[in-house]
Amino acid sequence: MGERWNGEVLRTTAGAVLEGRPPVPRMPGERVVGCLREAGREATFADLAAQEVGLVQDADLASGLELVATVASALERARVRMACEAAARGLHTEQGMSLADWLALRCPDLARPVLHDLVRVAQAGQEAVHEPLIDGLLTRGMPLARAARLHRALTRVRGALGPEGYGSAVELLADAGCNPVFEDADVGKIVTQLVRVCLPEKDHEERARAKRELRDVHESSLADGSVRRIIWTFGDDADYEAVRAILRSPLAAPASREEVEATGEEDRRTPGQRRYDALLTVVRRGVAGTEGQPTTAKATLLVTMDLQTLQRSLAEAGGELPGCGATVEGASVSAESIRRLACEADIIPMVLGGASEVLDQGRSKRLVTPGQRIRLAVRDGGCTIPGCTVPATWCDAHHIVAWANGGRSDLDNYALLCERHHTWVHQRGLTATVLEDCVMWHLR
């Protein structure tokens, strides 16, 4: 009689008692909610224990992270099962809500893209034809994001396939999505190939036309001018891949070890800054090249600045003296930029003396000729800074003795430099010696 009731109720029926069947301790709903509550409590305890993570051994850290992944995957599968069942029962319609809004209220931890994936999978699970896809997610280790991605691709080709063909496509993609050998990039290629093969040419053309209508470039700068941005929306896959190739080219590569050892300076640019430099190198080459390179008349830039500012170097002035050029429209252009562009770009420096008297409007004689550029490419091979891998096609022809200081436009006064090192050399006022088959920079 000393024992107290623990509050547990055993549910049974008269028939079960007569047949000798054991009572059911908890109903299915209680088991689901009870297990999840228990998992939540254990997760809270794990979080508290992890506050002493500094005392945990290396092996336990690795094991702990693996266990977190296991638990997270199990909870994701449980969420998918319940979302599919809620969609099947139409619980959201009873409250006059969309499935997305209903799930958003009950899953506030989900980011918007993940919520959309969950909604898509839950809706797909209402059709028997998608059973291989849902089964792959719930029992074969397919991630939720991948399952949603595959369903998006299937939706695109469904109209072009008959019921049997669509069922085969679902099985094909589900097997690919569950294959541990395939990474997301591999699955992406399979999806692309499926769309390419199954989608009618008319649909491809319509999609291409619709995408082309989205092409856009517009400015999105802050009103005070502190941040200047241009938003670029691609209207063609080929255009996108062309720009992407530039962002992955040697122009965007970090400095090599040999280059760092030669220059004594680390490449501290972020990946985004390297990609910016690479893209601007191509843009400047395309619109501001000399004769023999792509150019347009509109690329010619007229700038004005005084002769003293043009002739002195940034290193010589210590960066403290005033000096800036201006375009005809009145926009400011830094003196250092004009010095660098004067090596190769089609700018017309209006060099001013006292009282803004025009002293020189020279241009054509200081620019490298196509023949000289070919010989420079053969001699230098690419950027002449040791360790730099940028090829000759993307290099500027730099005047070793500045054009503004009387430097000649001859091969023995030229050295190929990539955009980044061209700026770097001008900033430091570096000099070099041109030999018969190479350029030796005086870096130390």
Side-chain angles (χ1 to χ4, degrees):
M1 298 296 293
E3 296 184 3
R4 299 181 60 185
W5 176 51
N6 62 7
E8 185 173 1
V9 176
L10 299 181
R11 292 176 175 84
T12 187
T13 63
V17 173
L18 292 174
E19 294 174 6
R21 285 186 280 129
V24 179
R26 291 192 295 178
M27 299 297 287
E30 292 177 322
R31 287 203 301 272
V32 171
V33 174
C35 287
L36 289 174
R37 282 177 178 163
E38 185 177 347
R41 285 195 297 269
E42 293 297 328
T44 301
F45 293 149
D47 182 33
L48 292 173
Q51 293 179 8
E52 298 179 355
V53 70
L55 304 177
V56 176
Q57 295 183 358
D58 294 353
D60 291 331
L61 275 177
S63 299
L65 289 172
E66 293 170 0
L67 289 170
V68 168
T70 301
V71 172
S73 297
L75 291 175
E76 181 181 81
R77 291 192 298 272
R79 174 141 49 189
V80 169
R81 291 180 190 275
M82 289 185 283
C84 289
E85 184 62 26
R89 296 185 186 186
L91 297 183
H92 56 289
T93 60
E94 294 178 2
Q95 300 182 19
M97 305 175 68
S98 67
L99 181 60
D101 290 339
W102 191 87
L103 287 174
L105 284 175
R106 284 142 187 88
C107 308
D109 61 305
L110 292 184
R112 209 67 181 167
V114 182
L115 176 65
H116 290 165
D117 288 346
L118 180 62
V119 171
R120 174 175 287 276
V121 168
Q123 292 173 334
Q126 308 314 304
E127 297 184 76
V129 69
H130 296 131
E131 185 176 342
L133 193 64
I134 305 302
D135 181 67
L137 172 58
L138 297 179
T139 65
R140 299 173 60 190
M142 186 192 306
L144 173 63
R146 180 175 292 185
R149 181 182 186 184
L150 295 179
H151 184 259
R152 279 192 291 270
L154 288 166
T155 301
R156 289 180 58 190
V157 301
R158 188 168 192 171
L161 301 173
E164 185 176 348
Y166 183 72
S168 299
V170 172
E171 293 180 0
L172 171 67
L173 290 187
D175 287 339
C178 294
N179 193 328
V181 175
F182 291 150
E183 297 181 353
D184 286 342
D186 301 317
V187 173
K189 292 178 182 177
I190 295 172
V191 167
T192 301
Q193 180 64 16
L194 176 69
V195 173
R196 186 182 298 121
V197 171
C198 296
L199 209 60
E201 181 179 353
K202 175 176 69 66
D203 291 346
H204 281 293
E205 290 300 322
E206 289 177 355
R207 178 172 175 265
R209 282 196 295 270
K211 180 180 288 188
R212 183 163 178 77
E213 289 301 316
L214 296 176
R215 70 190 188 279
D216 179 66
V217 175
H218 66 274
E219 188 170 357
S220 179
S221 302
L222 297 185
D224 61 0
S226 58
V227 176
R228 296 184 176 183
R229 294 176 298 206
I230 293 179
I231 307 299
W232 187 351
T233 302
F234 291 94
D236 185 88
D237 290 340
D239 295 340
Y240 169 74
E241 292 299 333
V243 173
R244 197 160 177 255
I246 296 171
L247 304 182
R248 294 185 169 190
S249 71
L251 293 173
S256 65
R257 180 178 299 177
E258 180 184 355
E259 177 187 330
V260 172
E261 292 176 353
T263 62
E265 293 198 13
E266 297 283 344
D267 186 356
R268 301 186 183 280
R269 297 175 299 165
T270 66
Q273 290 170 339
R274 296 201 308 269
R275 291 190 289 268
Y276 174 93
D277 293 345
L279 185 59
L280 263 292
T281 296
V282 177
V283 170
R284 286 168 180 155
R285 179 57 50 85
V287 300
T290 62
E291 183 181 356
Q293 301 175 29
T295 186
T296 67
K298 293 181 181 179
T300 302
L301 178 65
L302 180 66
V303 296
T304 60
M305 67 183 305
D306 66 272
L307 179 62
Q308 183 181 4
T309 301
L310 180 64
Q311 287 181 331
R312 72 170 180 252
S313 68
L314 182 64
E316 176 186 341
E320 299 298 330
L321 295 180
C324 190
T327 66
V328 174
E329 293 80 11
S332 298
V333 182
S334 71
E336 190 59 34
S337 295
I338 295 175
R339 295 188 197 102
R340 174 172 50 82
L341 291 172
C343 289
E344 185 152 322
D346 284 347
I347 65 170
I348 303 177
M350 301 284 290
V351 184
L352 306 178
S356 297
E357 176 189 3
V358 176
L359 301 182
D360 186 7
Q361 296 186 62
R363 176 169 71 102
S364 59
K365 291 185 180 180
R366 66 181 174 80
L367 300 176
V368 64
T369 66
Q372 286 177 319
R373 175 166 285 282
I374 292 173
R375 294 180 66 183
L376 285 170
V378 173
R379 186 194 72 189
D380 296 346
C383 180
T384 51
I385 295 296
C388 185
T389 59
V390 175
T393 25
W394 297 113
C395 288
D396 299 333
H398 166 71
H399 286 83
I400 295 173
V401 177
W403 167 83
N405 293 333
R408 302 182 314 279
S409 296
D410 298 333
L411 286 175
D412 59 3
N413 193 42
Y414 276 130
L416 291 184
L417 290 172
C418 69
E419 181 77 14
R420 179 167 65 92
H421 285 126
H422 197 174
T423 301
W424 183 73
V425 164
H426 273 280
Q427 288 175 340
R428 286 157 179 76
L430 298 177
T431 61
T433 300
V434 178
L435 304 179
E436 184 176 346
D437 59 350
C438 65
V439 176
M440 300 291 293
W441 285 95
H442 308 304
L443 302 176
R444 304 290 179 125

